């Protein structure tokens, strides 16, 4: 067991059972003309974490620990898109509509792709997910079980939507979760801060939070 410096207390890492989950680092969230922008968000701040996420991914690859990527996306026929998700709010483009980056949030379209700097390499699992959480209607649970993973490090976007939803799903399934604070971003700085605070409140009610450097130091012992 290796202790990783974290909040609200040290994370008891079992490195052989640990994987990195990179949530939805797709063009649709930082790029103008993508899904995030279509919802009316200022997307300009999202891309600044790309070098940080890359550093974390490379640390896991160097340590020989699994990196799993997720993508929020839907089938071209929209059969996995509940009307309640498509019809929510008054976006400039709805999921499935043709926009500047192709059909919004549809598998295989340019906007749906993972950012090239963070692209998966051969052997890394990519989970396509129709929900905000990565466990709902995906094979993620089976993948983790087959690899003997019980502890998850989280990075990606957005902190309070897909990252937090997936952390809560994982926590309820018995995984110990730790969020890399400087490898996640939101359109709303207050929401990011609140999410970090609520995850680690009440004695790590959802999980732990820490910095990339502390995770990299911990996994260097793998
Ligand atoms: N809107 C928003 O903040 N996020 C999403 O819709 N998806 C993800 O967080 N990936």
């Amino acid at each position: 067991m290796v202790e990783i410096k974290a909040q609200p207390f040290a994370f008891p890492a079992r490195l052989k059972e640990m994987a990195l989950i990179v949530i939805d680092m797709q063009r649709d969230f930082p790029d103008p003309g993508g899904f995030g922008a279509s919802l009316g968000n200022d997307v300009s701040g999202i891309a600044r974490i790309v070098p940080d996420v890359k550093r974390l991914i490379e640390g896991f690859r160097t340590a020989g620990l699994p990196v799993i990527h997720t993508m929020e996306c839907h089938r071209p026929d929209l059969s996995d898109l509940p009307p309640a998700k498509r019809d929510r709010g008054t976006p400039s483009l709805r999921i499935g509509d043709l926009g500047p980056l192709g059909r919004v949030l549809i598998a295989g379209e340019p906007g749906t792709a993972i950012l090239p700097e963070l692209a998966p390499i051969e052997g890394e699992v990519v989970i396509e997910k129709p929900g905000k959480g990565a466990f709902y209607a995906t094979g993620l649970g089976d993948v983790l079980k087959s690899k003997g993973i019980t502890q998850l490090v989280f990075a990606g976007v957005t902190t309070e939507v897909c990252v937090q939803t997936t952390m809560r799903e994982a926590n309820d399934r018995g995984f110990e979760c730790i969020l890399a604070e400087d490898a996640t971003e939101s359109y709303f700085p207050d929401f990011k801060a609140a999410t970090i605070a609520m995850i680690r409140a009440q004695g790590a009610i959802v999980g732990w939070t820490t910095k990339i450097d502390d995770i990299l130091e911990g996994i260097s012992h793998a």
Side-chain angles (χ1 to χ4, degrees):
M1 203 267 286
V2 170
E3 286 203 339
I4 295 178
K5 191 177 148 206
Q7 297 287 338
F9 51 86
F11 182 81
R14 297 182 298 276
L15 301 178
K16 287 188 169 58
E17 300 178 19
M18 181 177 276
L20 172 64
I21 310 265
V22 184
I23 302 282
D24 301 358
M25 290 302 297
Q26 302 161 246
R27 292 186 60 198
D28 258 308
F29 297 101
D31 280 22
F35 177 59
S38 80
L39 299 174
N41 295 307
D42 172 3
V43 297
S44 60
I46 295 286
R48 71 173 152 241
I49 61 163
V50 170
D52 305 306
V53 178
K54 190 176 167 68
R55 203 157 63 85
L56 185 58
I57 290 174
E58 284 174 352
F60 271 73
R61 287 174 181 160
T62 302
L65 300 180
V67 178
I68 296 170
H69 307 256
T70 72
M71 302 170 69
E72 182 174 356
C73 59
H74 295 274
R75 298 188 193 121
D77 66 3
L78 306 182
S79 57
D80 59 355
L81 176 62
K85 182 174 181 184
R86 179 174 158 83
D87 296 343
R88 193 70 52 83
T90 52
S92 57
L93 288 167
R94 293 193 182 276
I95 296 170
D97 290 350
L98 187 60
L101 304 179
R103 291 183 68 200
V104 176
L105 280 198
I106 300 300
E109 296 289 330
T112 309
I114 293 176
L115 295 164
E117 304 93 314
L118 305 178
I121 61 172
E122 198 178 331
E124 290 178 352
V125 172
V126 180
I127 299 286
E128 296 190 354
K129 63 184 185 62
K132 302 305 182 189
F135 285 85
Y136 169 67
T138 73
L140 179 58
D142 290 340
V143 167
L144 297 175
K145 194 170 177 191
S146 73
K147 291 179 181 293
I149 301 297
T150 64
Q151 297 189 323
L152 300 173
V153 175
F154 282 89
V157 294
T158 61
T159 318
E160 77 280 10
V161 182
C162 291
V163 175
Q164 177 172 217
T165 302
T166 305
M167 283 188 77
R168 288 175 181 273
E169 286 183 322
N171 188 51
D172 281 351
R173 285 165 172 76
F175 294 91
E176 290 170 306
C177 301
I178 183 164
L179 174 63
E181 296 173 27
D182 40 356
T184 184
E185 195 52 274
S186 168
Y187 300 118
F188 305 93
D190 291 352
F191 289 176
K192 175 177 174 177
T195 302
I196 290 168
M198 71 175 78
I199 282 169
R200 66 190 187 204
Q202 305 183 63
I205 193 91
V206 176
W208 287 252
T209 77
T210 192
K211 303 284 195 238
I212 296 169
D213 284 342
D214 291 319
I215 295 169
L216 294 180
E217 203 287 316
I219 65 173
S220 71
H221 301 281

